[in-house]
Amino acid sequence: LEYNFLLLNLKDDTGQRLPEIARKQRWFREPKFRQAIAAAVDRQGVVRLVYQGRGTPLWANVTPGNKLWLNSAIAQVQRSPARARELLRSAGFLLKSDGTLLDGSGQSVEFSIAAPANNSQRVQIATIIQQDLQQLGMKVHVVPLEFRALVDRVTQTHDYEAAIMALGSGDVDPNGEMNVWLSAGSTHLWHLGQRQPATPWEAEIDRLMQQQMTTRDYAQRKHLFDRVQEIVAQELPIIAVASPNILVGAKKDLGNFRPAILDHYTLSNVEELFWRKK
């Protein structure tokens, strides 16, 4: 159920305190800028290089392992630098003859991606995204940080530009991620600490998540949560990248071995396991 994603700093409390980050947030808050990044990211490359093929590319926040709640209608748009450049042009960005991307005020597009130094896979993801965005004329720096320092920057000081993060619910049910998707949620990372929704689409997600939480019919809940996934894929508060596969193994004479997608993966039905007689 774990999904890795690129998080851009959309928090609106930087202002006078962090003027350089506030300047770059003008790019991050432009939906077409986020869509361009999403179009440029080589998700298949991440799966191939980071997970040696044992992973799944993602375009929204629910992984294929969660068959009950996955919105299979989400478009799995293949990587397209040409499409990304078109989006940037339509948003007022300009590609110079030397390959440098400029914003509408003539500033070059340059920012950093923080990644947890103790997690080589996420550092690799950041490096792949860095290379993908260089093809658009963006100058991107990968900054490995100690995990606690990274979390502190994202959740407390907001002194970061972008970061590679991951979330994973302990339950397949959407209610396990209310703290992520509600505007006032404790893990609402892109607008952390707010009391009210910052945008109309966040207000819609609030309404949908609260409605599905009190709806008893699965089909109706699924319809509501499908719409949440559509909004995430369109507005891109997080840019989903990939999910690692879970690999398990057991001796052939272990009976009733049925791995699960929830922890503990191999012992979820421990009371049913038995050794076959040889």
Side-chain angles (χ1 to χ4, degrees):
L1 301 180
E2 176 186 308
Y3 52 100
N4 292 275
F5 55 88
L6 175 66
L7 175 70
L8 298 174
N9 187 350
L10 303 178
K11 194 75 175 74
D12 55 7
D13 70 343
T14 51
Q16 300 278 333
R17 188 168 60 88
L18 299 166
E20 185 62 17
I21 292 176
R23 180 179 69 82
K24 297 177 183 183
Q25 285 177 320
R26 294 198 297 269
W27 312 330
F28 302 158
R29 292 193 181 104
E30 168 55 58
K32 289 182 179 179
F33 184 86
R34 301 196 298 271
Q35 291 164 9
I37 290 178
V41 171
D42 185 1
R43 294 169 175 82
Q44 298 289 353
V46 169
V47 169
R48 184 177 67 256
L49 298 172
V50 178
Y51 300 120
Q52 290 74 53
R54 299 182 178 94
T56 304
L58 297 179
W59 285 266
N61 57 299
V62 179
T63 74
N66 194 348
K67 296 180 175 62
L68 281 174
W69 297 99
L70 175 69
N71 183 353
S72 57
I74 297 290
Q76 298 184 6
V77 182
Q78 296 305 306
R79 177 174 180 255
S80 175
R83 171 63 176 157
R85 294 187 189 99
E86 179 185 330
L87 286 163
L88 290 169
R89 279 195 300 270
S90 65
F93 292 84
L94 173 67
L95 188 64
K96 288 178 61 180
S97 58
D98 65 358
T100 302
L101 185 68
L102 304 179
D103 65 12
S105 63
Q107 298 287 323
S108 62
V109 177
E110 181 176 355
F111 62 94
S112 63
I113 300 177
N118 64 332
N119 190 310
S120 61
Q121 292 180 334
R122 289 179 196 148
V123 174
Q124 279 183 282
I125 292 173
T127 302
I128 291 171
I129 293 175
Q130 174 193 45
Q131 294 168 351
D132 292 338
L133 298 185
Q134 282 175 347
Q135 296 181 33
L136 303 181
M138 300 182 191
K139 190 172 183 180
V140 178
H141 308 278
V142 175
V143 181
L145 294 174
E146 190 273 328
F147 179 71
R148 290 180 183 273
L150 174 58
V151 171
D152 183 69
R153 288 186 181 226
V154 171
T155 62
Q156 301 297 325
T157 67
H158 311 135
D159 185 9
Y160 75 102
E161 294 170 359
I164 296 295
M165 305 288 288
L167 289 172
S169 176
D171 194 350
V172 298
D173 192 279
N175 288 340
E177 288 208 324
M178 294 294 286
N179 61 328
V180 177
W181 301 111
L182 288 183
S183 296
S186 60
T187 323
H188 192 73
L189 294 174
W190 53 98
H191 278 140
L192 198 60
Q194 66 187 32
R195 294 179 178 273
Q196 300 295 328
T199 59
W201 56 265
E202 286 178 281
E204 184 179 0
I205 289 180
D206 282 2
R207 178 184 62 79
L208 292 165
M209 290 299 294
Q210 290 165 343
Q211 188 175 348
Q212 68 79 29
M213 183 173 63
T214 58
T215 300
R216 301 175 67 178
D217 180 72
Y218 164 73
Q220 293 181 21
R221 291 187 67 206
K222 176 70 165 58
H223 176 73
L224 294 167
F225 194 56
D226 278 355
R227 175 58 184 152
V228 171
Q229 294 172 67
E230 290 174 3
I231 296 171
V232 173
Q234 178 180 355
E235 299 294 341
L236 298 168
I238 61 172
I239 299 173
V241 178
S243 176
N245 292 345
I246 299 298
L247 304 177
V248 300
K251 292 184 177 180
K252 291 187 291 186
D253 50 353
L254 180 62
N256 281 342
F257 182 61
R258 294 193 295 271
I261 61 172
L262 298 175
D263 195 22
H264 190 284
Y265 307 111
T266 58
L267 299 178
S268 59
N269 64 329
V270 63
E271 71 281 358
E272 299 176 339
L273 298 177
F274 68 94
W275 294 109
R276 295 187 177 90
K277 292 182 180 180
K278 296 184 179 179

